[in-house]
């Protein structure tokens, strides 16, 4: 019964979305405020029904109802309860339902908190949002129905892919989807503005919190995915330039550009047409990402089922929305053009610099991700584009952008003083040079690039602090004055500084991991000791144990430094009988920001085992930086100016909302 | 030295174009140097792929061919028609076993030998790497069993 309720609720949500796709937009056209106001209750009700549907599927999983095909395929009665929950979205159908749930959730948020939007804009936004919902609800119902029943009820399920039985999976997809789908709001705002043919600084102000929220989630989602791959795949890598990873990175890059260009639009009424385009492109890239992952066109470590019906369906969604939005853009954007042109050396100029490099970097990642697909379709040649390509294209574009980051906030609007900004950054630059020199001295014989990159990271961090020091006049005024100035600063200033600072933090982590990782791969016997980066790791033997739904063989290793025992590591190899496959469970020992990483290879009959042992200096900074970026985003989001919203333009009386 | 509107616009467009040109240049250079072609064992023999070039090969691990000595492993990768001997030093992936489809990346030493630095086996025991499936189909060694539809649920990432 539960599955049928879920299915039925989803159909009802589709019907509501269909009405929501027509009435509010028609209301705006007909200048009928009652019709235009139907969007809000419809969006909230639509969310309610999708939520019922999602809850129903979750209930099927928690009660291990194997008569539901999806549950049978992806669950097991002995699986821990947590993973019964997370396997709801650990499969194609369930994760698409989660996608739709989050889409409806954002629609409902606009309906609930969009009170300060002009009624016409709100109606159009909800109308556009409904069309996205319609297409994905149809996708779920027609090609990926999670509620299909089996005629003969199996006694036991086939278990969730063991790689996915992990807390990382519990959090990664929802965050990623909150990011992906959150950008649909920016998209809906852009299309609504094009429909209205009117856009102003206030538009940027309304769009920015939504974009920022989506960006925060996407940042966290990518970081979680990266950390999950790092400890779960057992290779010690944190980013593989895998097409599926790129699929999440593309909207992040263009979303970051969008955040910055929206600032210019809000403050200076410039870059309007560009900002609209970025809003469309960012969600388009989210759709492309969904297509790449969900259609199975890729061969990647994220092995995925191939079902042409789904691929073609998402491709159709892609073409309709991206093509439609861009066509609308080509038609209506010329009407919007009234942005000012500004001096190249100014805050606006710096933000344009940011946008140029971010979009160029985004384009190179896009080409590297899709070129193999295009080439295979055209010539049949199969190629793989991996890390070397992205190191040769993305990195050279990212470096100047990072170097420019501290300058941006120090330049004034309208006309900046580059020389003055450089002067104020002298101290930051000096610190960076010192740290780079110290790094070079301490790591003699190491790669030449590493000290430079560390120096760059320190420059970015010190530059971000310089901005705060300058704004509070910390070094020129007495403490109380500086304190009062700090208290008077908008939170977004701290948010910006923190997010920029975090870029440097992540860069240090990347450099530490890429250049200074020590690695030992060898077969070791019980009693053997391996020395790595000043640690002595002794292998004490293998232990077998039985888990809830798996068997595990794990190695026991003691880690010593200067003779003191500092930890025990137990890397394991698990076999899941339900699916007959196995996973490596790496063991991690954290020391400061560095980690010792051990993963177990095949154990031999004589008790010895092959092991990968790494010392990864500073590796945690990669994800700590991402976390700080997200906190910076949150600080900005909590800024009063964004919460209060833009000054309300006088509404046309005919379009007063119904309630 | 206030710039005219026209000059400002020129600078904006000029810098946009130069960043685009830079990106295009980087992409073209990188595409020439750093992409890796995939070949089946038969391709290697028929196309006479030059030794020393970095490529990917894929196929099934020939049953009975795996020789392990501590971290060193040797095994044959076959598409049913031709076999190439692959040597690899390191830990083989969890799902590596005889009869399993794999992809190896490395350097061809001579017409029948390959030194791999990366070996990928896919995470699902039913899953066949796409290149391997195509190569096997081409050689007529495709069994329906290989093509059994992989189960959904390899994760939304």
């Amino acid at each position: 019964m539960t599955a049928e309720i879920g299915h039925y609720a989803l159909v009802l949500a589709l019907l509501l979305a269909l009405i929501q796709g027509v009435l509010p937009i028609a209301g705006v056209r007909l200048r009928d405020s009652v019709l235009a106001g139907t969007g809000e209750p419809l969006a909230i009700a639509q969310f309610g029904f999708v939520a019922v549907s999602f809850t129903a599927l979750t209930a099927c999983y928690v009660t291990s109802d194997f008569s539901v095909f999806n549950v049978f395929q992806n669950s097991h009665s002995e699986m821990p309860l947590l993973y019964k929950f997370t396997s709801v979205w650990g499969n194609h159908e369930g994760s698409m339902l989660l996608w739709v749930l989050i889409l409806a959730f954002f629609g409902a948020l606009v309906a609930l908190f969009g009170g300060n939007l002009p009624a016409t804009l709100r109606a159009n936004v909800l109308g556009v949002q409904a069309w996205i919902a319609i297409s994905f609800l149809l996708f779920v119902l027609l090609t990926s129905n999670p509620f299909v029943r089996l005629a003969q009820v199996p006694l036991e399920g086939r278990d969730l892919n063991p790689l996915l039985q992990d807390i990382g999976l519990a959090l990664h997809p929802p965050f990623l989807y909150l990011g992906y789908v959150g950008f649909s709001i920016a998209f809906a705002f852009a299309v609504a503005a094009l429909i209205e043919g009117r856009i102003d600084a206030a538009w940027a102000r309304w769009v920015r919190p939504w974009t920022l929220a989506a960006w925060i989630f996407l940042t966290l989602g990518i970081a979680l995915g990266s950390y999950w791959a790092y400890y779960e795949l057992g290779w010690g890598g944190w980013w593989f330039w895998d097409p599926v990873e790129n699929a999440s990175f593309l909207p992040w890059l263009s979303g970051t550009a969008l955040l910055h260009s929206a600032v210019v639009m809000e403050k200076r009424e410039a870059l309007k047409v560009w900002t609209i385009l970025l809003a469309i492109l960012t969600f388009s890239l989210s759709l492309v990402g969904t297509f790449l992952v969900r259609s199975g066109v890729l061969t990647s470590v994220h092995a995925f089922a191939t079902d042409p019906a789904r691929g073609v369906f998402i491709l159709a969604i892609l073409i309709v929305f991206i093509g439609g939005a861009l066509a609308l853009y080509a038609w209506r954007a010329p009407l919007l053009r009234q942005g000012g042109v500004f001096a190249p050396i100014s805050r606006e100029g710096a933000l344009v610099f940011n946008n140029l490099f971010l979009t160029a970097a985004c384009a190179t990642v896009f080409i590297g991700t899709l070129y193999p697909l295009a080439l295979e379709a055209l010539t049949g040649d199969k190629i793989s584009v991996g890390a070397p390509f992205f190191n040769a294209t993305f990195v050279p574009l990212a470096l100047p952008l990072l170097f420019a980051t501290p300058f941006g906030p120090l330049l004034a609007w309208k006309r900046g003083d580059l020389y003055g900004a450089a002067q104020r950054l002298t101290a930051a630059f000096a610190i960076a040079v010192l740290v780079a020199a110290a790094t070079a001295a301490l790591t003699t014989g190491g790669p030449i690039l590493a000290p430079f990159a560390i120096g760059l990271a320190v420059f970015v961090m010190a530059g971000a602090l310089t901005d705060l020091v300058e704004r509070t006049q910390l070094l020129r005024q007495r403490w109380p004055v500086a304190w009062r100035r700090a208290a008077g600063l908008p939170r977004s200033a701290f948010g910006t500084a923190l997010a920029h600072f975090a870029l440097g933090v992540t860069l240090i982590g990347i450099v530490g991991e890429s250049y200074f990782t020590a690695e030992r791969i060898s077969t070791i016997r019980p009693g053997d000791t391996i020395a790595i980066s000043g640690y002595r790791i002794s292998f004490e033997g293998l232990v077998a144990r039985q888990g809830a739904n798996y068997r595990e063989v794990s190695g026991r290793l003691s880690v010593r430094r200067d003779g003191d025992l500092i930890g025990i590591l137990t890397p394991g190899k698990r076999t899941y009988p339900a699916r007959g496959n196995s996973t490596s469970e790496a063991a991690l020992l954290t020391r400061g920001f560095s980690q010792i990483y051990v993963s177990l290879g095949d154990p031999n009959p004589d008790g010895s085992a092959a092991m990968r042992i790494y010392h990864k200096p500073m590796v945690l900074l990669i994800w700590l930086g991402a976390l700080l970026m997200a906190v910076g985003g949150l600080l900005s989001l909590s800024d009063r100016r964004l919460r209060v919203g833009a000054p309300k333009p006088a509404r046309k009386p005919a379009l007063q909302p119904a309630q | 030295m206030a710039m005219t509107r026209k000059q400002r616009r020129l600078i904006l467009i000029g810098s946009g174009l130069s960043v685009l040109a830079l990106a295009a240049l980087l992409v073209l250079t990188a595409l020439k140097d750093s992409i890796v072609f995939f070949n089946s064992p038969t391709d290697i023999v028929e196309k006479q792929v030059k030794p020393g070039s970095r490529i990917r090969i894929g196929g099934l691990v020939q049953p009975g061919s795996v020789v392990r000595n501590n971290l060193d492993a040797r095994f044959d990768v076959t598409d049913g028609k031709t076999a190439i001997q692959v040597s690899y030093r390191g830990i083989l992936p969890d799902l590596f076993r005889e009869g399993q489809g794999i992809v190896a990346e490395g350097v061809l030493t001579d017409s029948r030998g390959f030194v791999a630095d990366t070996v990928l086996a896919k995470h699902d025991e039913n899953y066949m790497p796409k290149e391997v499936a195509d190569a096997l189909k081409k050689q007529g060694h495709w069994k329906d069993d290989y093509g059994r539809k992989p189960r959904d649920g390899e994760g939304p990432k």
Side-chain angles (χ1 to χ4, degrees), chain A residues 327-627:
Chain A
L328 188 66
Y329 178 79
W331 174 39
R332 303 286 280 197
L335 302 177
L336 304 174
R337 186 163 300 150
Q338 45 176 309
V341 181
F342 41 79
I345 304 294
S346 60
R347 180 81 66 86
E348 304 91 305
L351 289 164
V352 168
F353 183 92
N354 153 302
N355 267 236
L356 279 176
F357 276 85
L358 275 175
T359 42
C362 184
T364 60
V365 177
F366 185 81
I367 292 170
T369 308
L370 292 182
Y371 181 67
L373 288 177
L375 191 71
E376 191 182 340
L378 294 176
T379 68
D381 278 340
K382 296 187 179 72
I383 59 164
S384 72
V385 171
F389 173 87
F390 296 101
N391 290 343
T393 54
F394 181 78
V395 175
L397 288 169
L399 294 182
L401 181 60
L402 284 169
F403 183 74
T405 305
F407 288 90
L410 290 174
L411 293 173
W413 292 102
K414 293 187 184 177
R415 190 189 292 163
D417 177 6
L418 192 59
Y419 181 67
Q423 263 184 331
R424 280 177 284 172
L425 285 170
T426 317
F429 193 74
I431 297 171
V433 170
L434 279 178
V435 174
T439 312
L442 288 174
T443 57
T444 40
I448 307 274
L449 269 176
F452 271 107
I454 295 278
L456 179 61
V458 171
F459 180 61
V460 172
M461 291 158 73
L465 295 179
T466 305
D467 179 37
L468 287 184
V469 169
E470 286 294 326
R471 280 163 177 253
T472 54
Q473 303 195 342
L474 189 63
L475 302 178
R476 272 176 272 153
Q477 300 279 1
R478 284 176 298 114
W479 283 96
V481 180
W483 178 251
R484 248 179 292 128
R485 289 186 69 99
L489 276 184
R491 286 205 200 146
S492 63
F494 290 104
T496 306
L498 185 59
H500 286 177
F501 182 85
L503 276 174
V505 173
T506 295
L507 182 57
I508 290 188
I510 293 174
V511 175
E513 200 281 334
S514 321
Y515 289 112
F516 300 115
T517 291
E519 180 189 51
R520 302 275 184 280
I521 297 180
S522 57
T523 303
I524 46 181
R525 285 173 191 74
D528 284 358
T529 297
I530 301 267
I532 186 167
S533 306
Y535 295 93
R536 297 184 65 78
I537 300 175
S538 310
F539 180 38
E540 297 182 349
L542 294 169
V543 194
R545 75 181 183 97
Q546 180 71 40
N549 51 346
Y550 58 85
R551 285 192 309 275
E552 180 167 13
V553 175
S554 58
R556 195 180 148 85
L557 299 98
S558 60
V559 183
R560 280 166 217 279
R561 189 172 180 107
D562 304 327
D564 302 329
L565 183 71
I566 55 173
I568 300 287
L569 287 170
T570 53
K573 216 169 177 64
R574 289 183 185 170
T575 313
Y576 290 75
R579 284 193 169 218
N581 49 11
S582 56
T583 62
S584 297
E585 298 291 316
L588 301 166
L589 180 69
T590 303
R591 299 273 290 167
F593 295 122
S594 308
Q595 283 189 323
I596 296 171
Y597 183 113
V598 181
S599 77
L600 190 67
D602 288 316
N604 298 324
D606 64 351
S608 67
M611 284 192 207
R612 278 197 189 94
I613 302 177
Y614 301 101
H615 177 252
K616 293 182 172 289
M618 299 293 134
V619 67
L620 285 181
L621 290 182
I622 296 175
W623 305 291
L624 182 68
L627 188 66

Side-chain angles (χ1 to χ4, degrees), chain A residues 158 161 244 303 382 384 573, chain B residues 36 38 94 151 154 156-157:
Chain A
R158 298 180 68 181
N161 184 330
V244 179
K382 296 187 179 72
S384 72
K573 216 169 177 64
Chain B
V36 178
F38 175 90
D94 290 342
R151 284 189 296 260
E154 302 316 320
K157 191 175 172 248

Side-chain angles (χ1 to χ4, degrees), chain B residues 121-138:
Chain B
K122 295 296 169 167
H123 293 304
D124 187 306
E125 77 285 7
N126 291 330
Y127 181 79
M128 178 72 63
K130 192 158 142 277
E131 295 96 333
V132 176
D134 290 351
L136 288 173
K137 274 181 189 160
K138 226 161 75 185

Side-chain angles (χ1 to χ4, degrees), chain A residues 605-652:
Chain A
D606 64 351
S608 67
M611 284 192 207
R612 278 197 189 94
I613 302 177
Y614 301 101
H615 177 252
K616 293 182 172 289
M618 299 293 134
V619 67
L620 285 181
L621 290 182
I622 296 175
W623 305 291
L624 182 68
L627 188 66
L628 288 179
M629 278 180 223
V631 175
L634 267 179
L635 270 178
S636 284
L637 194 61
S638 71
D639 195 306
R640 201 175 156 274
R641 287 179 301 176
L642 286 182
R643 262 180 297 136
V644 170
K648 290 171 199 175
R651 291 177 188 172
K652 286 174 197 150

